Amino acid sequence: MSDLDSKHPSDYEKQPSNVDEKKDLKDVESVSHDDDENFGVLETERDVATQIISVHDDPSLNPWTVRAFVIGIGLSAFGGVLAEIYYFKPQTVLVSTMFLAIISYILGIAMETFIPRRGILRYLNPHPFNKKENAFIVIMSSAAATSALATEVLAVQRLFYNITPNPGASIFLLFSSQLLGYGIGGLFRSVLLYPSKMLYPGVLPLVSMFDALFKDATAAKKKLRLFWIAFFAIFIWELFPEWIFPLLTGFSIFCLANQRSPDFTRVFGGSNGNEGLGLLSLCFDWQYISGGINPMAIPLRAQFSNFIGYILCMVVFVAVYYKNIWQAKSFPWLSQELFYANGTVYDQLLILNDKFEVDKTLLAEQGLPFYAATWVVQLLSTNLGMGATFAHLLIWNRDDMRKAWSWMSPSGVRHIWQNFNFRFWKDDGMRDLKDEEELDPHYREMLKYADAPNSWYIMCLGASIIMALVIIYKTDSTLPWWGFLISVILATISILFFGTLYAITGLQFIIQPFIQARGFIHPGKPMANMYFVLFGYNSVNQAQLLLRDLKIAQYTKLPPRAAFTAQIIGTLFGAVLNFVLMNSIIDNQRTILLSVEGTNVWSGQQPQQYNSQAIAWGALSHELFAIGKRYQFVAWAYLIGFLVPIPFWIMYKLWPKLRTDYLYTPVICYYIGWLCVGINSSLFSYFSIAYMSQWWLRTRYPGWFIKYNYVLAAALDGGTQARVASLLSSILLNHGHCRLWSSSFLSLFSVQRVIHICFRNGGAPTKMAITIDAL
């Protein structure tokens, strides 16, 4: 046995590295030839995980450096502050993992290059910057770079209910709501993280970029050259659609052919928010094409089901609107607002009493609100997809589901009790493994490191529950203790099912309406509904983020305890920054945030929307969605969705050649309501690129696909986000004002009028959307 093998597994985390990964790391990927005929077509998740991502690990690389903490905390502050500021902006900014990875790489290489390795500064530059440090920084900063949902709840309380919980209670509310999902998700690692089938396709471009940046093999040099060429090419190109020539965001020949038809605008428009379905529109802006879901990363099987849902969405929307179902023509074509019967926006505050509960007399005076018909379809299809998810996974992935709940058996409970260490800080993290041939190769490499054991996640979960049970009474939430426990149970079930679907397909369902609908157990209490959603929905989202980051750690061979540390520090630090910024903004911009219009600098649209949904679901769910009421089919959709996968399963058993097993029925159902809001001009370009990448390149040029597809995807995302960040910086330095060239520039080509062809028929005012999307 070698000296390296004889060391205790936990010692690997603590070894200082004197190895330059870029020079000494051997290229052990199974692909090392240039000829396409030497490669087979990637078919399974295991093929993708082992051919696209390097399996090799160098245990001497050390992530525990002062440099990693300095850069990580700095980028956490940047991301957390920016995310909270732009929660109150008319534009949406989400700081992506890819953007943080590129910035952290540049900062790390700069520190390696310019800081001397002697004297006290040697702690900032102990050895060459390595892949594990970069992954550590990305995980920490991405955990912080979100606007915590709890700040949304606190903002709504301050703005609309004149309730200001004390700072201590607010901070602990943030901590408990952010860590609750971590505790639950961490206990599902054996099912949602370790297996090869849990691919997490969205992180493949990021990890492929790491492999290219930190390897010195010939194939890696070619990847790196392609990466930087594509990066700077898209960086230059994005200046045109983002600033100089906005027409490139969406261009419709059909709108040009019939400029005065609102029907054409509804179907073929989509360059502006809530305008149209974007059928056959052309988009040349990668920011909107990628939009947080890179079409070159999502597997073809998921893309195919997504495309079927997209086609059905257009058919259903058009049918519902022109058949005037749910009085569709009385309300806007696409909207998520509540309306009076005459089509004006509904004022929810007029139906609440001084205790912020629905007053039946006031409700009778105002009348029940209406939704736009397309938004009703979105609610219905979301519920349809939720029900289909449970049935689909129970039918096609029943072994995984059974394994996930094996801990509830008497033997499982006995095993947990016998092995649980109440001195969790002394748990050595050793793992007993069976069936090693079935282990994911990346996971097998991780076994040399001490694990962050289940006891850590149990303590995290227990502390979060205890804090939450106290805080819901200290913050005047009106949510009873039993309602909180129901939200935790619902979150646990949802994390397993929707986390499985996300891990396999890379498509993340927004299940807030599903959780919010369960808040009908607190009728007439919108604030209780908000807190129910906070602990139910936010926990699912946090668990998915945790497992995604742990998959990044598994692919990059970052020790589990380093990943856990980075996640906890980033999450707690980001939550504190969110709270401080939220209070400061509300104190200084309260009047603007309460106005419907807002300004070009500040807007309260997001807290207003959250409050509206809480009132609709928490206060009016029985009046709107109960059996026999106006939107009763929204509730029935859960049961119908549960039945949808069954015919496909029966057909597969009777006629397997039909390959109905290839379809993800939850994805089809969910995306029937996909086009309900936003800019929809990018979808034709999105699916065209997805088809070219995941079918044409993968099957016709498998060698090129394996070596370069995901690196190119990372470069396109990274260059786009760098360009958007540079424009964003310019706007911030100009005090929120954006000087566009578009009007004068376009007038030179006499096409200024064309820009407004698809905007004039009821479209919303044009805004410059500055978005750095998440992976």
Side-chain angles (χ1 to χ4, degrees), residues 750-768:
S750 300
V751 295
Q752 185 175 358
R753 185 173 63 90
V754 175
I755 285 183
H756 301 283
I757 288 172
C758 288
F759 299 167
R760 64 174 64 181
N761 297 303
T766 303
K767 294 181 181 177
M768 183 179 182

Side-chain angles (χ1 to χ4, degrees), residues 482-511:
W482 54 268
F484 164 75
L485 294 180
I486 291 175
S487 72
V488 173
I489 294 171
L490 186 60
T492 303
I493 297 172
S494 299
I495 286 169
L496 174 61
F497 284 90
F498 300 112
T500 300
L501 195 65
Y502 171 58
I504 294 173
T505 67
L507 301 174
Q508 186 174 16
F509 287 6
I510 299 174
I511 66 167

